Amino acid sequence: MSSKAGRVRWGLAALLTLSAGALVAAETASGLTGLAEGTRQILGSTGLARFFADGGGKPLLMVCIGFELLYLGVAKQVEPLLMIPIGFGAVFANTPGAGMVQEGGFLRLVFDAGLQSEVLPILVFMGIGAMCDFAPLIANPRLALLGAAAQLGVFGTLIGVVLASDVLGLGFDIRHACAIAIIGAADGPTSIYLSTRYAPELMGPIAVAAYSYMAMVPLIQPPVMRALTTRAERRIRMPLNREVSGREKMLFPLVVLALCVLLLPSALPLLGSFCFGNFVRECGVAERLSNALQNEIMNTSTILLGLGVGMQMESSKFLAPVTLAILGLGLLAFVVGTAGGVLFAKVMNRCSPANPVNPLIGSAGVSAFPMAARVSHKMGQAEDRDNFLIFQAMGANLAGQIGSIVAAGVILALLG
Amino acid sequence: MCLMASVLWSQTWLVVSLGMASVFCFLLVLVIALRVMSFFATPAAQAGGKAGGE
């Protein structure tokens, strides 16, 4: 009986407290004069109302594109490690009233501290360096030239960008053009690094184009490779690589670093961090650091990089004709880069017929590691089941990684 | 307008020609450096001149 009375007393006390709280809230809330006003305010703050009030439905479209990126990443396995953070970043950035891109917001913080400062692309390069085994390139150094030839994708597309700018009146200057053309390097962090410097407002479409086309390498490259090679060329067998010693693997990043320091210091932030990651891996006495670079640092950086890129997909920046132009030019860049690598392999065969190179591995000279190498190997096996090109293609692919950074470094040296 | 376009085109040709040449030069130097490195780092290469099946 007494417990029932106690419960009633507690109930009355709670009711009184709630009523008092509601009265105080009503008095203190500015502009809230009644139930109708409060309801209108709540309804007005919903995403549904603000989507159409703020941007005429454009932010809603971008949220849908964010979900589309999630679909591509999860259902179609298109670079899921990046598409998922980019997709979420796009949703976060385009939700009105969330305040995540405003000064002090989470995404603004990530962008300013991570991308604007160039910290995240550099950390990603350390991770990539720690994940790469350069043995195929050390065993067959001349494959490095294929990595140079495939950079035609960057410089050839530069002409295309300027031409498109002239014809379509897009108003690009040389810096914008270079930031777009670097998509041809098929290297996400390099594209982001250069666009941060030269065209931060175009970073969203540039990064989306770079990562999307990298994932579409198995669709983009084979028709180009088939068109530029004969069946006999596709059946060329290459000898197996020699064994590479641990000492060579350890010296490799130091040699690249020395060349970068002496010849191209502008590429040092990217190439130097790449060499650092690779040296940590190969030196054999810093396994903990190597593991941290390959796992924790790489994963954290990738997540933040993706969210930062997604933030750049605000509707006001992304939904513009220039985005379509960038997507078109990005495709051109991949095609030209592939063609450059394949054609240069044929030139190498003319110059050195005794030591032929299968032109299919030329296409792996575009970065897109290791997808491009796998495509070369698969195409070789489609012509001759006993032809194993994977190691040589990996060599060209690793050279493409270095070549793409060198291309960016040269652009930085030329344009500042 | 026309002047700006011509400046843009001259800058473009400069970046394209110097860029491709520089990338090739850098990677050519890398090829040579790797051969030298392999020569000194691989005893078999020093003994037999050329190591492996390249």
Side-chain angles (χ1 to χ4, degrees):
Chain A
M1 189 71 185
S2 64
S3 73
K4 193 177 176 185
R7 253 183 267 143
V8 170
R9 269 203 302 276
W10 274 110
L12 280 172
L15 198 64
L16 280 171
T17 313
L18 278 175
S19 310
L23 278 171
V24 171
E27 279 173 14
T28 50
S30 58
L32 198 65
T33 53
L35 187 63
E37 180 70 20
T39 311
R40 198 164 59 237
Q41 200 161 327
I42 286 175
L43 288 177
S45 73
T46 60
L48 278 173
R50 296 182 75 159
F51 272 131
F52 296 100
D54 288 358
K58 280 183 178 176
L60 182 61
L61 180 59
M62 284 309 299
V63 168
C64 294
I65 290 176
F67 283 117
E68 174 71 18
L69 293 180
L70 293 182
Y71 171 76
L72 287 175
V74 177
K76 301 289 178 188
Q77 300 273 306
V78 177
E79 296 280 341
L81 299 184
L82 272 149
M83 283 302 178
I84 293 172
I86 291 177
F88 266 91
V91 174
F92 291 163
N94 289 286
T95 303
M100 291 180 85
V101 291
Q102 286 159 5
E103 210 59 50
F106 172 68
L107 288 181
R108 172 65 57 191
L109 195 68
V110 168
F111 183 78
D112 288 347
L115 279 99
Q116 198 82 19
S117 64
E118 299 164 2
V119 167
L120 288 174
I122 287 173
L123 286 177
V124 168
F125 264 109
M126 286 182 189
I128 294 172
M131 292 165 95
C132 283
D133 177 2
F134 277 93
L137 182 59
I138 299 168
N140 204 350
R142 70 187 177 131
L143 297 181
L145 295 177
L146 295 175
Q151 302 317 312
L152 189 66
V154 175
F155 296 106
T157 306
L158 185 58
I159 298 170
V161 176
V162 175
L163 198 64
S165 176
D166 264 7
V167 173
L168 303 173
L170 297 171
F172 292 142
D173 62 11
I174 188 71
R175 288 168 171 249
H176 284 107
C178 286
I180 296 167
I182 202 72
I183 296 172
D187 191 337
T190 306
S191 302
I192 291 169
Y193 186 83
L194 218 62
S195 58
T196 309
R197 287 272 184 108
Y198 292 157
E201 71 278 13
L202 300 178
M203 185 197 288
I206 288 172
V208 169
Y211 283 115
S212 307
Y213 291 137
M214 271 161 64
M216 286 160 67
V217 153
L219 298 176
I220 297 170
Q221 286 194 323
V224 182
M225 293 156 79
R226 217 170 283 127
L228 295 175
T229 52
T230 62
R231 188 154 189 268
E233 285 172 331
R234 292 197 291 271
R235 290 170 68 90
I236 291 176
R237 291 193 179 191
M238 294 178 71
L240 282 176
N241 285 339
R242 67 176 173 87
E243 283 284 317
V244 173
S245 67
R247 191 191 290 180
E248 283 176 285
K249 287 187 190 177
M250 191 180 73
L251 285 174
F252 175 81
L254 298 181
V255 168
V256 177
L257 181 65
L259 291 182
C260 184
V261 168
L262 294 173
L263 302 178
L264 198 60
S266 57
L268 196 66
L270 297 180
L271 204 50
S273 53
F274 191 66
C275 293
F276 166 70
N278 193 247
F279 185 75
V280 165
R281 171 199 169 96
E282 302 294 354
C283 69
V285 293
E287 202 175 333
R288 277 173 53 194
L289 296 189
S290 174
N291 287 339
L293 282 176
Q294 290 182 44
N295 298 300
E296 292 86 355
I297 293 175
M298 183 69 177
N299 292 340
T300 310
S301 307
T302 304
I303 290 170
L304 295 177
L305 193 75
L307 287 172
V309 170
M311 177 207 151
Q312 289 299 303
M313 291 175 67
E314 269 186 283
S315 58
S316 55
K317 294 177 188 168
F318 198 86
L319 293 177
V322 73
T323 301
L324 275 180
I326 289 172
L327 291 174
L329 290 163
L331 182 61
L332 174 76
F334 271 65
V335 170
V336 174
T338 304
V342 172
L343 292 175
F344 191 76
K346 292 173 76 152
V347 171
M348 283 170 81
N349 285 345
R350 284 280 171 91
C351 297
S352 169
N355 206 0
V357 170
N358 189 316
L360 292 178
I361 70 166
S363 66
V366 302
S367 200
F369 184 83
M371 192 90 76
R374 285 194 201 129
V375 169
S376 303
H377 174 67
K378 271 191 179 174
M379 279 198 70
Q381 288 222 309
E383 297 290 343
D384 176 1
R385 283 193 65 79
D386 296 328
N387 196 2
F388 292 92
L389 293 172
I390 189 71
F391 295 108
Q392 286 82 0
M394 280 289 182
N397 213 182
L398 290 162
Q401 288 258 318
I402 297 176
S404 63
I405 303 174
V406 172
V410 170
I411 290 172
L412 286 169
L414 284 169
L415 302 181
Chain B
M1 189 72 183
C2 195
L3 181 71
M4 275 171 64
S6 98
V7 168
L8 180 61
W9 273 110
S10 63
Q11 286 174 328
T12 303
W13 293 121
L14 193 74
V15 172
V16 169
S17 51
L18 284 177
M20 268 321 274
S22 306
V23 172
F24 261 105
C25 284
F26 188 94
L27 287 166
L28 193 62
V29 174
L30 178 65
V31 172
I32 296 164
L34 288 183
R35 288 212 183 276
V36 173
M37 180 195 84
S38 291
F39 181 79
F40 286 108
T42 316
Q46 286 182 48
K50 209 173 183 187
E54 221 198 291

